[in-house]
Coordinates of all heavy atoms in Angstrom, one line a residue:
M1 N 15.9 -32.2 -13.1 CA 15.0 -32.4 -14.2 C 13.6 -32.6 -13.7 O 12.7 -32.1 -14.3 CB 15.5 -33.6 -15.0 CG 14.7 -33.8 -16.3 SD 15.0 -32.4 -17.4 CE 15.1 -33.2 -18.9
R2 N 13.4 -33.3 -12.6 CA 12.1 -33.6 -12.0 C 11.5 -32.3 -11.6 O 10.3 -32.0 -11.8 CB 12.3 -34.6 -10.9 CG 10.9 -35.0 -10.3 CD 11.1 -36.1 -9.3 NE 9.9 -36.4 -8.7 CZ 9.7 -37.1 -7.7 NH1 10.8 -37.7 -7.1 NH2 8.5 -37.4 -7.2
K3 N 12.3 -31.4 -10.9 CA 11.8 -30.1 -10.5 C 11.4 -29.2 -11.7 O 10.4 -28.5 -11.6 CB 12.9 -29.4 -9.7 CG 13.1 -29.9 -8.3 CD 14.1 -29.0 -7.5 CE 14.2 -29.6 -6.1 NZ 15.1 -28.8 -5.3
L4 N 12.1 -29.3 -12.7 CA 11.8 -28.5 -13.9 C 10.4 -29.0 -14.5 O 9.6 -28.2 -14.8 CB 12.9 -28.7 -15.0 CG 12.6 -28.0 -16.3 CD1 12.5 -26.5 -16.1 CD2 13.8 -28.2 -17.3
R5 N 10.2 -30.3 -14.6 CA 8.9 -30.8 -15.1 C 7.8 -30.4 -14.2 O 6.7 -30.0 -14.7 CB 9.0 -32.4 -15.1 CG 9.5 -32.8 -16.4 CD 9.3 -34.3 -16.6 NE 10.7 -34.9 -16.8 CZ 11.1 -36.1 -16.4 NH1 10.3 -36.9 -15.8 NH2 12.3 -36.4 -16.6
R6 N 8.0 -30.4 -12.9 CA 7.0 -30.0 -11.9 C 6.7 -28.5 -12.1 O 5.5 -28.1 -12.1 CB 7.4 -30.3 -10.5 CG 7.1 -31.6 -10.0 CD 7.3 -31.7 -8.6 NE 7.1 -33.1 -8.1 CZ 7.3 -33.5 -6.9 NH1 7.9 -32.7 -6.0 NH2 7.0 -34.8 -6.6
S7 N 7.7 -27.7 -12.3 CA 7.5 -26.3 -12.5 C 6.7 -26.0 -13.8 O 5.8 -25.2 -13.8 CB 8.9 -25.6 -12.5 OG 9.5 -25.7 -11.3
I8 N 7.1 -26.7 -14.8 CA 6.4 -26.6 -16.1 C 4.9 -27.0 -16.0 O 4.0 -26.3 -16.4 CB 7.1 -27.3 -17.2 CG1 8.5 -26.6 -17.5 CG2 6.3 -27.4 -18.5 CD1 9.4 -27.4 -18.5
S9 N 4.7 -28.1 -15.3 CA 3.4 -28.6 -15.1 C 2.5 -27.7 -14.3 O 1.4 -27.4 -14.6 CB 3.4 -30.0 -14.4 OG 4.0 -31.0 -15.2
A10 N 3.1 -27.2 -13.2 CA 2.4 -26.2 -12.4 C 2.1 -24.9 -13.2 O 1.0 -24.4 -13.1 CB 3.3 -25.9 -11.1
A11 N 3.0 -24.4 -13.9 CA 2.8 -23.2 -14.7 C 1.7 -23.5 -15.8 O 0.9 -22.6 -16.0 CB 4.1 -22.8 -15.4
S12 N 1.7 -24.7 -16.4 CA 0.7 -25.0 -17.4 C -0.7 -25.0 -16.8 O -1.6 -24.5 -17.3 CB 1.0 -26.3 -18.1 OG 2.2 -26.2 -18.8
L13 N -0.7 -25.7 -15.6 CA -2.0 -25.8 -14.9 C -2.5 -24.4 -14.5 O -3.7 -24.1 -14.6 CB -1.9 -26.7 -13.7 CG -3.1 -26.9 -12.8 CD1 -4.2 -27.5 -13.7 CD2 -2.8 -27.8 -11.6
T14 N -1.6 -23.6 -14.0 CA -2.0 -22.2 -13.6 C -2.5 -21.5 -14.8 O -3.5 -20.8 -14.7 CB -0.8 -21.5 -13.0 OG1 -0.3 -22.2 -11.9 CG2 -1.1 -20.1 -12.6
A15 N -1.9 -21.6 -15.9 CA -2.3 -20.9 -17.2 C -3.7 -21.4 -17.6 O -4.6 -20.6 -18.0 CB -1.3 -21.1 -18.3
V16 N -3.9 -22.7 -17.6 CA -5.2 -23.3 -18.0 C -6.3 -22.8 -17.0 O -7.4 -22.3 -17.4 CB -5.1 -24.8 -18.0 CG1 -6.5 -25.4 -18.1 CG2 -4.3 -25.3 -19.1
L17 N -6.0 -22.8 -15.7 CA -7.0 -22.4 -14.7 C -7.3 -20.9 -14.9 O -8.4 -20.4 -14.8 CB -6.6 -22.7 -13.3 CG -6.6 -24.2 -13.0 CD1 -6.0 -24.4 -11.6 CD2 -8.0 -24.7 -13.0
A18 N -6.3 -20.1 -15.1 CA -6.4 -18.6 -15.3 C -7.3 -18.4 -16.5 O -8.2 -17.5 -16.5 CB -5.1 -17.9 -15.3
G19 N -7.0 -19.1 -17.6 CA -7.8 -18.9 -18.8 C -9.2 -19.3 -18.6 O -10.1 -18.6 -19.0
G20 N -9.5 -20.4 -17.8 CA -10.9 -20.7 -17.5 C -11.6 -19.7 -16.7 O -12.7 -19.4 -16.9
L21 N -10.9 -19.1 -15.7 CA -11.5 -18.1 -14.9 C -11.7 -16.9 -15.7 O -12.7 -16.2 -15.5 CB -10.5 -17.8 -13.7 CG -10.4 -18.9 -12.6 CD1 -9.4 -18.5 -11.6 CD2 -11.7 -19.2 -12.0
T22 N -10.9 -16.6 -16.6 CA -11.1 -15.4 -17.5 C -12.3 -15.6 -18.3 O -13.1 -14.7 -18.4 CB -9.9 -15.2 -18.4 OG1 -8.7 -15.0 -17.6 CG2 -10.1 -14.0 -19.3
M23 N -12.5 -16.8 -18.8 CA -13.7 -17.1 -19.6 C -15.0 -17.0 -18.7 O -16.0 -16.4 -19.2 CB -13.7 -18.5 -20.2 CG -12.6 -18.6 -21.3 SD -12.4 -20.3 -21.8 CE -13.3 -20.2 -23.3
L24 N -14.9 -17.5 -17.5 CA -16.1 -17.4 -16.6 C -16.4 -16.0 -16.2 O -17.5 -15.7 -15.9 CB -15.8 -18.3 -15.4 CG -15.8 -19.8 -15.7 CD1 -15.4 -20.6 -14.4 CD2 -17.1 -20.3 -16.2
S25 N -15.3 -15.1 -16.1 CA -15.6 -13.8 -15.6 C -15.8 -12.8 -16.7 O -15.9 -11.6 -16.4 CB -14.4 -13.4 -14.7 OG -13.2 -13.3 -15.5
A26 N -16.0 -13.2 -17.9 CA -16.2 -12.3 -19.0 C -17.6 -11.6 -18.7 O -18.5 -12.3 -18.4 CB -16.3 -13.1 -20.3
T27 N -17.6 -10.3 -18.8 CA -18.8 -9.6 -18.5 C -19.8 -9.7 -19.6 O -19.5 -9.8 -20.8 CB -18.4 -8.1 -18.3 OG1 -17.9 -7.6 -19.6 CG2 -17.4 -7.9 -17.2
P28 N -21.1 -9.7 -19.2 CA -22.1 -9.8 -20.3 C -22.2 -8.5 -21.2 O -22.8 -8.5 -22.2 CB -23.4 -9.9 -19.4 CG -23.1 -9.7 -18.0 CD -21.6 -9.7 -17.9
A29 N -21.5 -7.5 -20.8 CA -21.5 -6.2 -21.6 C -20.7 -6.5 -22.9 O -20.9 -5.7 -23.9 CB -20.9 -5.1 -20.8
Q30 N -19.9 -7.5 -23.0 CA -19.2 -7.8 -24.2 C -20.2 -8.3 -25.2 O -21.0 -9.2 -24.9 CB -18.1 -8.8 -23.9 CG -17.0 -8.3 -23.0 CD -16.1 -9.4 -22.5 OE1 -16.4 -10.5 -22.6 NE2 -14.9 -9.0 -22.1
A31 N -20.1 -7.8 -26.4 CA -21.0 -8.2 -27.5 C -20.6 -9.6 -28.0 O -19.5 -10.0 -28.0 CB -20.9 -7.3 -28.7
A32 N -21.6 -10.4 -28.3 CA -21.5 -11.7 -28.8 C -22.6 -12.1 -29.8 O -23.8 -11.8 -29.5 CB -21.5 -12.7 -27.7
W33 N -22.2 -12.6 -31.0 CA -23.3 -13.0 -31.9 C -23.9 -14.3 -31.5 O -23.2 -15.2 -31.2 CB -22.7 -13.1 -33.3 CG -22.4 -11.8 -33.9 CD1 -21.2 -11.1 -33.9 CD2 -23.3 -10.9 -34.6 NE1 -21.4 -9.9 -34.5 CE2 -22.6 -9.8 -35.0 CE3 -24.6 -11.1 -35.0 CZ2 -23.2 -8.7 -35.7 CZ3 -25.3 -10.1 -35.7 CH2 -24.6 -8.9 -36.1
Q34 N -25.2 -14.2 -31.3 CA -26.0 -15.4 -30.9 C -27.3 -15.6 -31.7 O -27.8 -14.6 -32.3 CB -26.4 -15.2 -29.4 CG -25.2 -15.1 -28.5 CD -25.6 -15.0 -27.0 OE1 -26.6 -15.5 -26.6 NE2 -24.8 -14.3 -26.2
C35 N -27.8 -16.8 -31.7 CA -29.0 -17.1 -32.4 C -30.3 -16.6 -31.7 O -31.4 -16.6 -32.3 CB -29.1 -18.6 -32.7 SG -27.8 -19.1 -33.8
T36 N -30.2 -16.3 -30.4 CA -31.3 -15.8 -29.6 C -30.8 -14.7 -28.7 O -29.6 -14.6 -28.5 CB -32.0 -16.9 -28.8 OG1 -31.0 -17.4 -27.8 CG2 -32.5 -18.1 -29.6
V37 N -31.8 -13.9 -28.2 CA -31.4 -12.9 -27.3 C -31.9 -13.4 -25.9 O -33.1 -13.5 -25.7 CB -32.1 -11.6 -27.7 CG1 -31.7 -10.5 -26.7 CG2 -31.7 -11.2 -29.1
P38 N -31.0 -13.7 -25.0 CA -31.4 -14.1 -23.7 C -32.1 -13.1 -22.9 O -32.0 -11.9 -23.1 CB -30.0 -14.4 -23.0 CG -29.0 -14.5 -24.1 CD -29.5 -13.6 -25.1
P39 N -33.0 -13.5 -21.9 CA -33.7 -12.6 -21.1 C -32.8 -11.6 -20.4 O -31.7 -12.0 -20.0 CB -34.4 -13.5 -20.1 CG -34.5 -14.8 -20.7 CD -33.3 -14.9 -21.6
G40 N -33.2 -10.4 -20.3 CA -32.4 -9.3 -19.7 C -31.3 -8.7 -20.5 O -30.7 -7.8 -20.2
M41 N -31.1 -9.3 -21.7 CA -30.1 -8.7 -22.7 C -30.9 -8.0 -23.8 O -32.1 -8.1 -23.9 CB -29.3 -9.9 -23.2 CG -28.6 -10.7 -22.2 SD -27.3 -9.8 -21.3 CE -26.0 -9.9 -22.4
T42 N -30.1 -7.3 -24.6 CA -30.6 -6.7 -25.8 C -29.7 -6.9 -27.0 O -28.7 -7.6 -26.8 CB -30.8 -5.1 -25.6 OG1 -31.6 -4.6 -26.7 CG2 -29.5 -4.4 -25.4
Y43 N -29.9 -6.3 -28.1 CA -29.0 -6.5 -29.2 C -28.9 -5.2 -30.0 O -29.8 -4.3 -29.9 CB -29.5 -7.6 -30.2 CG -30.8 -7.5 -30.8 CD1 -30.9 -7.1 -32.2 CD2 -32.0 -7.7 -30.2 CE1 -32.1 -6.9 -32.8 CE2 -33.2 -7.6 -30.8 CZ -33.3 -7.2 -32.1 OH -34.5 -7.1 -32.7
T44 N -27.8 -5.0 -30.7 CA -27.5 -3.8 -31.4 C -27.5 -4.0 -32.9 O -27.3 -3.0 -33.7 CB -26.2 -3.2 -31.0 OG1 -25.2 -4.1 -31.2 CG2 -26.3 -2.8 -29.5
W45 N -27.6 -5.2 -33.4 CA -27.5 -5.5 -34.8 C -28.1 -6.9 -35.0 O -28.0 -7.7 -34.2 CB -26.0 -5.5 -35.2 CG -25.8 -5.3 -36.7 CD1 -26.1 -6.1 -37.7 CD2 -25.3 -4.1 -37.3 NE1 -25.7 -5.6 -38.9 CE2 -25.2 -4.3 -38.7 CE3 -24.8 -2.9 -36.8 CZ2 -24.7 -3.4 -39.6 CZ3 -24.3 -1.9 -37.7 CH2 -24.3 -2.2 -39.0
V46 N -28.7 -7.1 -36.2 CA -29.2 -8.4 -36.5 C -28.9 -8.7 -38.0 O -28.8 -7.8 -38.8 CB -30.7 -8.5 -36.3 CG1 -31.5 -7.5 -37.2 CG2 -31.3 -9.9 -36.4
T47 N -28.7 -10.0 -38.3 CA -28.4 -10.4 -39.7 C -28.9 -11.8 -39.9 O -29.2 -12.5 -38.9 CB -26.9 -10.3 -40.0 OG1 -26.7 -10.5 -41.4 CG2 -26.1 -11.3 -39.2
Y48 N -29.1 -12.2 -41.1 CA -29.4 -13.6 -41.4 C -28.2 -14.5 -41.2 O -27.0 -14.1 -41.4 CB -29.8 -13.8 -42.9 CG -31.2 -13.2 -43.1 CD1 -31.3 -12.1 -44.0 CD2 -32.3 -13.8 -42.6 CE1 -32.6 -11.6 -44.2 CE2 -33.6 -13.3 -42.8 CZ -33.7 -12.2 -43.7 OH -34.9 -11.6 -43.9
D49 N -28.4 -15.7 -40.6 CA -27.3 -16.6 -40.4 C -27.8 -18.1 -40.5 O -28.6 -18.5 -39.7 CB -26.7 -16.4 -39.0 CG -25.5 -17.2 -38.7 OD1 -25.2 -18.2 -39.4 OD2 -24.8 -16.9 -37.7
A50 N -27.4 -18.8 -41.5 CA -27.9 -20.2 -41.7 C -27.6 -21.1 -40.6 O -28.3 -22.1 -40.3 CB -27.3 -20.7 -43.0
K51 N -26.6 -20.8 -39.8 CA -26.2 -21.6 -38.6 C -27.3 -21.5 -37.5 O -27.3 -22.3 -36.6 CB -24.9 -21.2 -38.0 CG -23.7 -21.5 -39.0 CD -22.4 -21.0 -38.3 CE -21.5 -20.5 -39.3 NZ -20.4 -19.7 -38.7
C52 N -28.1 -20.5 -37.6 CA -29.2 -20.3 -36.6 C -30.5 -20.8 -37.1 O -31.5 -20.5 -36.5 CB -29.3 -18.8 -36.3 SG -27.9 -18.1 -35.4
G53 N -30.5 -21.7 -38.1 CA -31.7 -22.3 -38.5 C -32.1 -21.9 -39.9 O -31.8 -20.8 -40.4
V54 N -32.6 -22.8 -40.6 CA -33.0 -22.6 -42.0 C -34.5 -22.6 -42.1 O -35.1 -23.4 -41.5 CB -32.4 -23.8 -42.9 CG1 -32.8 -23.6 -44.3 CG2 -30.8 -23.7 -42.8
P55 N -35.1 -21.8 -42.9 CA -34.6 -20.9 -43.9 C -34.3 -19.5 -43.3 O -33.7 -18.7 -43.9 CB -35.6 -20.9 -45.0 CG -36.9 -21.0 -44.3 CD -36.6 -21.9 -43.1
N56 N -34.9 -19.2 -42.2 CA -34.9 -17.8 -41.7 C -34.1 -17.6 -40.4 O -34.5 -16.8 -39.5 CB -36.4 -17.3 -41.5 CG -37.1 -17.3 -42.8 OD1 -36.6 -16.9 -43.8 ND2 -38.4 -17.7 -42.7
G57 N -33.0 -18.2 -40.3 CA -32.2 -18.0 -39.1 C -31.7 -16.6 -38.9 O -31.3 -16.0 -39.9
M58 N -31.7 -16.1 -37.7 CA -31.3 -14.8 -37.4 C -30.2 -14.9 -36.4 O -30.2 -15.7 -35.5 CB -32.4 -14.0 -36.8 CG -33.6 -13.9 -37.7 SD -33.3 -13.0 -39.2 CE -33.7 -11.4 -38.7
S59 N -29.2 -14.0 -36.5 CA -28.1 -13.9 -35.6 C -28.1 -12.5 -35.0 O -28.2 -11.5 -35.8 CB -26.7 -14.2 -36.2 OG -25.7 -14.2 -35.3
Y60 N -28.0 -12.4 -33.7 CA -28.1 -11.1 -33.0 C -26.8 -10.7 -32.3 O -26.1 -11.6 -31.7 CB -29.2 -11.1 -31.9 CG -30.6 -11.5 -32.5 CD1 -30.9 -12.9 -32.5 CD2 -31.4 -10.6 -32.9 CE1 -32.2 -13.2 -33.1 CE2 -32.7 -10.9 -33.4 CZ -33.0 -12.3 -33.5 OH -34.3 -12.6 -34.0
D61 N -26.4 -9.5 -32.4 CA -25.2 -9.0 -31.7 C -25.7 -8.6 -30.3 O -26.1 -7.5 -30.0 CB -24.7 -7.7 -32.4 CG -23.3 -7.3 -31.9 OD1 -22.6 -8.2 -31.3 OD2 -23.0 -6.1 -32.0
V62 N -25.6 -9.6 -29.4 CA -26.2 -9.5 -28.1 C -25.3 -8.7 -27.1 O -24.1 -9.0 -27.1 CB -26.5 -10.9 -27.5 CG1 -27.0 -10.8 -26.1 CG2 -27.5 -11.6 -28.4
V63 N -25.8 -7.8 -26.4 CA -25.1 -7.0 -25.4 C -25.9 -6.9 -24.1 O -27.2 -7.0 -24.2 CB -24.7 -5.6 -25.9 CG1 -23.7 -5.7 -27.1 CG2 -25.9 -4.8 -26.3
A64 N -25.3 -6.6 -23.0 CA -26.0 -6.2 -21.8 C -26.5 -4.8 -21.9 O -25.8 -3.9 -22.5 CB -25.1 -6.3 -20.6
P65 N -27.7 -4.5 -21.5 CA -28.2 -3.1 -21.6 C -27.4 -2.2 -20.7 O -27.0 -2.6 -19.7 CB -29.7 -3.2 -21.2 CG -29.7 -4.5 -20.4 CD -28.7 -5.4 -20.9
S66 N -27.3 -0.9 -21.1 CA -26.7 0.1 -20.3 C -27.3 1.4 -20.5 O -28.0 1.7 -21.6 CB -25.2 0.1 -20.6 OG -24.9 0.5 -21.9
E67 N -27.2 2.3 -19.6 CA -27.8 3.6 -19.6 C -27.3 4.4 -20.8 O -26.1 4.5 -21.1 CB -27.4 4.4 -18.3 CG -28.2 5.6 -18.1 CD -29.7 5.3 -17.7 OE1 -30.0 4.3 -17.0 OE2 -30.5 6.1 -18.1
G68 N -28.3 4.9 -21.6 CA -27.9 5.8 -22.8 C -27.6 5.0 -24.0 O -27.3 5.6 -25.1
Q69 N -27.6 3.7 -23.9 CA -27.2 2.9 -25.1 C -28.3 2.8 -26.1 O -29.5 2.8 -25.8 CB -26.9 1.4 -24.6 CG -26.6 0.4 -25.7 CD -26.5 -1.0 -25.1 OE1 -27.2 -1.3 -24.2 NE2 -25.6 -1.7 -25.7
W70 N -27.9 2.9 -27.4 CA -28.9 2.6 -28.5 C -29.0 1.1 -28.7 O -28.0 0.5 -28.9 CB -28.5 3.3 -29.8 CG -28.7 4.8 -29.7 CD1 -27.7 5.8 -29.5 CD2 -29.9 5.5 -29.9 NE1 -28.3 7.0 -29.5 CE2 -29.6 6.9 -29.7 CE3 -31.2 5.1 -30.1 CZ2 -30.6 7.9 -29.8 CZ3 -32.2 6.1 -30.2 CH2 -31.9 7.5 -30.1
A71 N -30.2 0.6 -28.7 CA -30.4 -0.8 -28.9 C -31.7 -1.1 -29.7 O -32.5 -0.2 -29.8 CB -30.5 -1.5 -27.5
C72 N -31.8 -2.3 -30.1 CA -32.9 -2.7 -31.0 C -34.2 -3.0 -30.2 O -35.3 -3.1 -30.7 CB -32.5 -3.9 -31.9 SG -31.2 -3.5 -33.0
M73 N -34.0 -3.2 -28.9 CA -35.2 -3.5 -28.0 C -34.9 -3.1 -26.6 O -33.7 -3.1 -26.2 CB -35.6 -5.0 -28.1 CG -34.7 -5.9 -27.5 SD -35.4 -7.6 -27.4 CE -34.4 -8.2 -26.0
A74 N -35.9 -2.8 -25.8 CA -35.7 -2.5 -24.4 C -36.1 -3.8 -23.6 O -37.3 -4.1 -23.6 CB -36.6 -1.3 -24.0
P75 N -35.1 -4.4 -23.0 CA -35.5 -5.6 -22.2 C -36.3 -5.3 -21.0 O -36.4 -4.1 -20.6 CB -34.1 -6.2 -21.9 CG -33.2 -5.1 -22.0 CD -33.7 -4.1 -22.9
V76 N -36.8 -6.3 -20.3 CA -37.6 -6.1 -19.1 C -36.7 -5.4 -18.1 O -35.5 -5.7 -17.9 CB -38.0 -7.5 -18.5 CG1 -38.7 -7.3 -17.2 CG2 -39.0 -8.1 -19.5
G77 N -37.3 -4.4 -17.4 CA -36.5 -3.6 -16.5 C -35.9 -2.3 -17.1 O -35.2 -1.6 -16.4
W78 N -36.1 -2.1 -18.4 CA -35.6 -1.0 -19.1 C -36.7 -0.3 -19.8 O -37.6 -0.9 -20.3 CB -34.5 -1.4 -20.0 CG -33.2 -1.9 -19.3 CD1 -33.0 -3.1 -18.8 CD2 -32.1 -1.1 -19.0 NE1 -31.8 -3.2 -18.2 CE2 -31.2 -1.9 -18.3 CE3 -31.7 0.2 -19.3 CZ2 -29.9 -1.5 -17.9 CZ3 -30.5 0.7 -18.8 CH2 -29.6 -0.2 -18.1
N79 N -36.5 1.1 -19.9 CA -37.4 1.9 -20.7 C -36.5 2.6 -21.8 O -35.3 2.4 -21.8 CB -38.1 3.0 -19.9 CG -39.2 2.3 -19.0 OD1 -39.8 1.4 -19.3 ND2 -39.3 2.9 -17.8
W80 N -37.1 3.5 -22.5 CA -36.3 4.3 -23.5 C -36.7 5.8 -23.4 O -37.8 6.1 -23.0 CB -36.4 3.8 -24.9 CG -37.8 3.9 -25.5 CD1 -38.3 4.9 -26.2 CD2 -38.8 2.9 -25.4 NE1 -39.6 4.6 -26.6 CE2 -40.0 3.4 -26.1 CE3 -38.9 1.6 -24.8 CZ2 -41.1 2.7 -26.2 CZ3 -40.1 0.9 -25.0 CH2 -41.2 1.4 -25.7
T81 N -35.7 6.6 -23.7 CA -36.0 8.1 -23.6 C -36.2 8.7 -25.0 O -36.7 9.8 -25.1 CB -34.8 8.8 -22.9 OG1 -33.6 8.5 -23.7 CG2 -34.6 8.3 -21.5
E82 N -35.7 8.0 -26.0 CA -36.0 8.5 -27.4 C -35.8 7.4 -28.3 O -35.3 6.3 -28.0 CB -35.0 9.7 -27.7 CG -33.6 9.4 -27.6 CD -32.7 10.6 -27.9 OE1 -32.8 11.2 -29.0 OE2 -31.9 10.9 -27.0
T83 N -36.2 7.6 -29.6 CA -36.1 6.6 -30.6 C -35.5 7.2 -31.8 O -35.5 8.5 -32.0 CB -37.5 6.0 -31.0 OG1 -38.3 7.0 -31.6 CG2 -38.1 5.3 -29.8
R84 N -35.0 6.4 -32.7 CA -34.5 6.8 -34.0 C -34.7 5.7 -35.0 O -34.7 4.6 -34.7 CB -33.0 7.3 -33.9 CG -32.0 6.1 -33.7 CD -30.6 6.7 -33.6 NE -29.7 5.6 -33.4 CZ -28.4 5.7 -33.1 NH1 -27.9 6.9 -32.9 NH2 -27.6 4.7 -32.9
T85 N -34.7 6.1 -36.3 CA -34.8 5.2 -37.4 C -33.4 4.6 -37.7 O -32.4 5.4 -37.7 CB -35.4 5.8 -38.6 OG1 -36.7 6.4 -38.2 CG2 -35.6 4.8 -39.8
S86 N -33.3 3.3 -37.9 CA -32.1 2.6 -38.2 C -32.3 1.4 -39.0 O -33.4 0.9 -39.0 CB -31.4 2.2 -36.8 OG -30.3 1.4 -37.1
T87 N -31.3 1.0 -39.7 CA -31.4 -0.3 -40.4 C -30.6 -1.4 -39.7 O -30.6 -2.5 -40.2 CB -30.8 -0.1 -41.9 OG1 -29.4 0.3 -41.7 CG2 -31.6 0.9 -42.7
H88 N -30.1 -1.1 -38.6 CA -29.3 -2.2 -37.8 C -30.2 -3.2 -37.2 O -29.8 -4.4 -37.0 CB -28.5 -1.5 -36.6 CG -27.5 -0.6 -37.1 ND1 -26.7 0.1 -36.2 CD2 -27.1 -0.2 -38.3 CE1 -25.9 0.8 -36.8 NE2 -26.1 0.7 -38.1
C89 N -31.5 -2.9 -37.0 CA -32.3 -3.8 -36.2 C -33.2 -4.7 -37.2 O -34.1 -5.3 -36.7 CB -33.2 -3.0 -35.3 SG -32.2 -2.1 -34.0
S90 N -32.9 -4.6 -38.4 CA -33.6 -5.5 -39.4 C -32.6 -6.2 -40.3 O -31.7 -5.6 -40.8 CB -34.5 -4.6 -40.3 OG -35.1 -5.3 -41.3
A91 N -32.9 -7.5 -40.5 CA -32.0 -8.3 -41.3 C -32.3 -7.9 -42.8 O -31.5 -8.3 -43.7 CB -32.2 -9.8 -41.1
N92 N -33.4 -7.3 -43.1 CA -33.7 -6.9 -44.5 C -32.9 -5.7 -44.8 O -33.1 -4.6 -44.3 CB -35.2 -6.6 -44.7 CG -36.0 -7.8 -44.5 OD1 -35.6 -8.9 -44.8 ND2 -37.2 -7.6 -43.9
T93 N -31.8 -5.8 -45.6 CA -30.9 -4.7 -45.9 C -31.7 -3.5 -46.4 O -32.5 -3.5 -47.3 CB -30.0 -5.2 -47.0 OG1 -29.3 -6.4 -46.6 CG2 -28.9 -4.1 -47.3
G94 N -31.4 -2.4 -45.7 CA -32.0 -1.1 -46.0 C -33.4 -0.9 -45.5 O -33.9 0.2 -45.7
F95 N -34.0 -1.9 -44.8 CA -35.3 -1.8 -44.3 C -35.2 -1.0 -43.0 O -34.6 -1.5 -42.0 CB -35.9 -3.1 -44.1 CG -37.4 -3.1 -43.7 CD1 -38.4 -2.8 -44.6 CD2 -37.7 -3.3 -42.3 CE1 -39.7 -2.7 -44.2 CE2 -39.1 -3.3 -41.9 CZ -40.0 -3.0 -42.9
P96 N -35.9 0.2 -42.9 CA -35.8 1.0 -41.6 C -36.6 0.4 -40.5 O -37.7 -0.1 -40.7 CB -36.3 2.3 -42.0 CG -37.1 2.1 -43.2 CD -36.6 0.9 -43.9
T97 N -36.1 0.4 -39.3 CA -36.8 0.0 -38.1 C -36.4 1.0 -37.0 O -35.9 2.0 -37.3 CB -36.3 -1.4 -37.6 OG1 -34.9 -1.4 -37.4 CG2 -36.7 -2.5 -38.6
T98 N -36.8 0.7 -35.8 CA -36.6 1.6 -34.7 C -35.5 1.1 -33.8 O -35.4 -0.1 -33.4 CB -37.9 1.8 -33.9 OG1 -38.9 2.2 -34.8 CG2 -37.8 2.8 -32.8
E99 N -34.7 2.1 -33.3 CA -33.7 1.8 -32.2 C -34.1 2.7 -31.0 O -34.8 3.7 -31.2 CB -32.3 2.3 -32.6 CG -31.5 1.2 -33.3 CD -30.0 1.7 -33.6 OE1 -29.9 2.7 -34.3 OE2 -29.1 1.1 -33.0
Y100 N -33.8 2.2 -29.8 CA -34.2 2.8 -28.6 C -33.0 3.3 -27.8 O -32.1 2.5 -27.6 CB -35.1 1.9 -27.8 CG -36.3 1.3 -28.6 CD1 -36.1 0.2 -29.4 CD2 -37.5 2.0 -28.6 CE1 -37.2 -0.3 -30.1 CE2 -38.5 1.5 -29.3 CZ -38.4 0.4 -30.1 OH -39.5 -0.1 -30.8
R101 N -33.1 4.5 -27.2 CA -32.0 4.9 -26.3 C -32.5 4.5 -24.9 O -33.5 4.9 -24.4 CB -31.8 6.4 -26.3 CG -30.6 6.7 -25.4 CD -30.2 8.2 -25.4 NE -29.7 8.7 -26.6 CZ -28.4 8.7 -27.0 NH1 -27.5 8.2 -26.2 NH2 -28.1 9.3 -28.1
L102 N -31.8 3.5 -24.3 CA -32.2 2.9 -23.1 C -32.0 3.7 -21.8 O -31.0 4.5 -21.7 CB -31.4 1.5 -22.9 CG -31.6 0.5 -24.0 CD1 -30.8 -0.7 -23.7 CD2 -33.1 0.2 -24.2
T103 N -32.9 3.5 -20.9 CA -32.7 4.1 -19.5 C -33.3 3.0 -18.6 O -34.3 2.3 -18.9 CB -33.4 5.4 -19.4 OG1 -33.1 6.0 -18.1 CG2 -34.9 5.3 -19.5
K104 N -32.7 2.9 -17.4 CA -33.1 1.9 -16.4 C -34.5 2.3 -15.9 O -34.8 3.4 -15.6 CB -32.1 1.9 -15.2 CG -32.4 0.8 -14.3 CD -32.0 -0.6 -14.9 CE -32.1 -1.6 -13.8 NZ -32.4 -2.9 -14.4
A105 N -35.4 1.3 -15.8 CA -36.8 1.6 -15.3 C -36.7 1.8 -13.8 O -35.8 1.2 -13.1 CB -37.7 0.4 -15.7
N106 N -37.6 2.6 -13.3 CA -37.6 2.8 -11.8 C -38.4 1.7 -11.1 O -39.2 1.1 -11.5 CB -38.3 4.1 -11.5 CG -37.5 5.3 -12.0 OD1 -36.2 5.2 -12.1 ND2 -38.1 6.4 -12.4

């Protein structure tokens, strides 16, 4: 019985640690809704969100920039090769703004 408890404890600890490592190793390329856009990141969508401050809180679908990606802004170290009109980058429903096709700056 004691060996069984140790085995279960060890397995539980391993699972917890593996889960923690998985969380730490999550790539920044994964989208996440946030109240701000961290330096070096960009966003692909924006919306109003009361959790991000009242009265004009904004929530951004934050992603790591990548070659050829359409995004709402070009972060430092990135340029763009073309633009297009989109409503994704404005929280005002139907209000057209600009999206940028990203390319790494030289």
